[in-house]
């Protein structure tokens, strides 16, 4: 019942397992707190002292089963070190998946030693100085930040659907590679409905990987957010987000 942190991350395999778990926890928390799937589609786990919901295959909820399959495809690309970024997008018109109302970016980097789940910091640090305690602290902080943000955003429209796009490191990814559950994309672009607001949520480093998480949402959904969570709050958890208002191409420039 616990999402266990390894006592040490001395191999790439240990790092990969942690990054996969973190990705599963983050995607599960987001979809749970945004009300995308019913309660029955989740199980309860504990990550250290934080109670988290984990998405599972639920025969009564085909959407959750589909997302679990997508996640397995992401794991395949992550394991092969091809995966550069996942974009999980929320759209309001199933017939027009290019037009989105909210999206979540998960960016990955692989060090010479292995991969990283990259959450958006501009600070460069020496990979060799990353300890297991650093990784654990950053992981728990990331999940808490996601919780605080999701609980404060105003609700999504009632009838939404999810799409997922994967982006690769082209220089190492075979041109015909598609992980299970995915097909060649027809178009990279997405159109955002309304006025977007770009939020850097955080990052988790390991000696082998970096994971970064970013959120783009409709600016009006942020109107109800207690502004104190956007600043340095009383606890470290609440200095939640870097707000970057004109982000679109920043992704491509990093």
């Amino acid at each position: 019942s616990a999402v266990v942190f390894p006592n040490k991350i001395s191999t790439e395999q240990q790092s990969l397992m942690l990054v996969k778990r973190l990705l599963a926890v983050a995607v599960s928390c987001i979809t749970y707190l945004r009300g995308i799937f019913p309660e029955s589609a989740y199980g309860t786990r504990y990550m250290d002292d934080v109670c988290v919901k984990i998405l599972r295959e639920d025969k009564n909820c085909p959407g959750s089963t589909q997302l679990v399959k997508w996640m397995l495809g992401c794991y395949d690309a992550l394991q092969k070190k091809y995966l550069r970024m996942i974009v999980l997008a929320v759209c309001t018109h199933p017939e027009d998946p290019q037009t989105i109302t909210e999206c979540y970016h998960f960016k990955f980097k692989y060090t010479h030693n292995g991969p990283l789940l990259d959450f958006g910091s501009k600070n460069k640090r020496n990979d060799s100085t990353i300890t297991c305690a650093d990784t654990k602290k950053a992981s728990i902080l990331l999940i808490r930040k996601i919780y605080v943000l999701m609980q404060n955003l105003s609700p999504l429209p009632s009838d939404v659907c999810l799409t997922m796009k994967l982006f690769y490191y082209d220089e190492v990814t075979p041109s015909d590679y598609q992980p299970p559950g995915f097909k060649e994309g027809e178009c990279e672009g997405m159109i955002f409905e309304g006025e977007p607001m770009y939020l850097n949520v955080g990052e988790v480093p390991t000696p082998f990987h970096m994971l970064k998480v970013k959120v783009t949402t409709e600016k009006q959904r942020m109107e109800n957010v207690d502004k104190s969570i956007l600043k340095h709050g009383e606890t470290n958890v609440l200095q939640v987000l870097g707000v970057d208002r004109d982000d679109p191409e920043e992704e491509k420039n990093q």
Side-chain angles (χ1 to χ4, degrees), residues 3 104 125 128 132 157 174 197-198 209 217 220 246:
V3 179
Y104 303 88
R125 38 186 307 185
S128 64
C132 196
M197 183 174 250
Y198 306 96
H209 297 76
T217 189
Q220 284 184 323
D246 29 33

Side-chain angles (χ1 to χ4, degrees), residues 14 41 120 132 138 163 204:
Q14 288 169 328
C132 196
T163 65
V204 174

Side-chain angles (χ1 to χ4, degrees), residues 15-206:
S15 177
L16 180 66
M17 274 305 296
L18 180 66
V19 172
K20 286 179 178 179
R21 284 175 185 167
L22 267 181
L23 182 61
V25 172
V27 168
S28 298
C29 288
I30 288 164
T31 56
Y32 179 78
L33 291 165
R34 296 309 271 142
I36 291 174
F37 300 121
E39 184 85 35
S40 61
Y42 299 87
T44 301
R45 297 281 183 274
Y46 288 87
M47 193 170 101
D48 215 44
D49 59 343
V50 182
C51 177
V52 293
K53 295 289 186 176
I54 300 287
L55 193 66
R56 58 187 177 193
E57 295 188 66
D58 174 4
K59 63 180 186 300
N60 299 318
C61 180
S64 71
T65 301
Q66 180 65 61
L67 183 51
V68 168
K69 287 186 173 139
W70 287 348
M71 297 292 289
L72 295 174
C74 295
Y75 290 170
D76 185 78
L78 190 60
Q79 203 152 329
K80 292 180 166 76
K81 300 189 193 177
Y82 297 161
L83 187 60
R84 177 169 66 86
M85 180 168 67
I86 299 168
V87 178
L88 181 65
V90 181
C91 40
T92 49
H93 310 291
E95 70 287 353
D96 178 18
Q98 300 304 123
T99 302
I100 62 172
T101 186
E102 195 160 280
C103 70
Y104 303 88
H105 294 79
F106 301 88
K107 297 169 72 180
F108 303 87
K109 290 181 184 169
Y110 309 87
T111 67
H112 59 284
N113 290 329
L116 296 165
L117 181 48
D118 179 9
F119 288 96
S121 134
K122 301 285 187 283
N123 304 332
K124 299 286 177 259
R125 38 186 307 185
N126 182 345
D127 297 332
S128 64
T129 65
I130 297 167
T131 66
C132 196
D134 293 332
T135 300
K136 180 174 178 179
K137 184 177 175 184
S139 301
I140 291 170
L141 184 60
L142 176 75
I143 298 307
R144 284 182 166 161
K145 284 178 174 184
I146 290 173
Y147 258 71
V148 171
L149 176 60
M150 297 298 110
Q151 286 170 329
N152 279 274
L153 287 178
S154 52
L156 288 167
S158 57
D159 194 14
V160 296
C161 59
L162 289 178
T163 65
M164 186 181 274
K165 286 179 182 279
L166 305 187
F167 296 82
Y168 303 112
Y169 285 104
D170 292 338
E171 61 276 15
V172 295
T173 307
S175 57
D176 61 347
Y177 172 74
Q178 292 300 335
F182 290 85
K183 62 179 184 179
E184 180 77 33
E186 286 136 30
C187 158
E188 280 197 15
M190 289 184 167
I191 302 154
F192 197 89
E193 252 179 329
E195 186 181 351
M197 183 174 250
Y198 306 96
L199 305 163
N200 293 317
V201 182
E203 67 179 31
V204 174
T206 84

